[in-house]
Structures are given as structure tokens and as C-alpha cells.
Amino acid sequence: MTGTITETTPQQAPQCLIVDDSAVVRKVTRGFMEALGFAVAEAANGQEALNACTQAMPELILLDWNMPVMDGLEFLGRLRSDPTFQAPGVQPLVIFITTENDHAHIARALEAGANEYIMKPFTRDILHGKLASLGLLDEAMEADHVG
């Protein structure tokens, strides 16, 4: 399903793109996000993610740092600077989810335009907390969440 948005609920679900070269991480993260009512697409690297964003810009991107072809920081730089993605209301929220956990990496990610940062390994509760802090969970999603 790389590069395609698949709706998981009959309503207009918020769209999420998971960008990680690990199929296992994508599968686990997909399960977390679908349980929260998001429609999920996947990409294995930054180039696939750019291609997916050209087709359908998600509201949220969960982004790994270290990937082949194009890493997460390069992807984010292109996403935030490419005029194609600069129309009003087009800029998605971006959360880095990565093993890069030193202050320098976190600062670089935030300076490049990331909205949040999660260190691997992470739990559903950590992800839920970041999504809530960004205003991405409505009251129904909050009520359905079981920690």
C-alpha cells in the first residue's frame, strides 16, 4: 500500500503518512493510527513520501530520520520549501519518530519544520499524547483511547 491513502472508517478520516524503512515499524504504527481512526498510507523512504504527498497531502506525517534513498531530514526540507506544497492549508503536521535522540538532532528536526519529536522505541500512549498535544485527536478519539 505504499504511497496510497486507504480509508479505515466510513467518515472522512484524517489522513496519516507513515514514512519508515522498517516494515515492522510501519505495521505497528499503522495499527496504532488506525485504532485512533486515521486513514493510513505508507512510504519506505523520503522519495516515496514526496511522491505520496504529491498525490494526496495528509494531515499528519510520521517520519523516520535514517532511511535509504532520501532520509527524513532531507524529505522534510523539501516538503517545507517546495512551492508545490506551499498552498494555504496544505502544510501537514510532521512528527519525527526516530532513534536519533540527542539534543542536536532534535533541534535540527524542529528547525527544519518538524512539529514534534518521538524517540524510538515508543508506545501507543506516547504517540497518543503527542497527537493530543497537536490537536489531532477529537473528543470521540480521546474517549475511545484505552491506555
Side-chain angles (χ1 to χ4, degrees):
M1 294 206 173
T2 300
T4 59
I5 302 292
T6 305
E7 289 204 24
T8 57
T9 62
Q11 308 90 359
Q12 182 69 337
Q15 297 178 349
C16 173
L17 176 62
I18 300 168
V19 188
D20 198 300
D21 58 324
S22 167
V24 172
V25 170
R26 290 194 313 268
K27 180 179 180 179
V28 169
T29 307
R30 173 185 279 276
F32 291 163
M33 297 306 293
E34 288 178 342
L36 291 170
F38 284 80
V40 177
E42 299 179 13
N45 61 60
Q47 185 59 58
E48 287 183 12
L50 280 178
N51 295 344
C53 289
T54 300
Q55 298 300 312
M57 185 62 72
E59 284 85 3
L60 173 66
I61 298 173
L62 302 177
L63 182 62
D64 187 22
W65 191 299
N66 297 306
M67 297 176 287
V69 183
M70 181 188 298
D71 68 26
L73 194 64
E74 183 180 351
F75 163 79
L76 183 57
R78 290 188 185 191
L79 180 74
R80 295 299 194 218
S81 65
D82 187 326
T84 306
F85 305 126
Q86 300 306 312
V90 172
Q91 286 289 315
L93 295 172
V94 176
I95 301 175
F96 260 105
I97 301 180
T98 180
T99 58
E100 300 296 345
N101 60 8
D102 60 87
H103 291 293
H105 278 92
I106 295 169
R108 285 178 64 198
L110 296 174
E111 288 168 7
N115 301 93
E116 265 298 350
Y117 201 96
I118 296 173
M119 292 177 248
K120 291 178 184 175
F122 65 98
T123 64
R124 177 181 170 172
D125 288 338
I126 291 170
L127 181 59
H128 183 270
K130 295 293 185 176
L131 296 171
S133 74
L134 291 172
L136 290 172
L137 300 180
D138 63 23
E139 290 178 17
M141 290 176 184
E142 290 283 340
D144 288 343
H145 175 68
V146 177

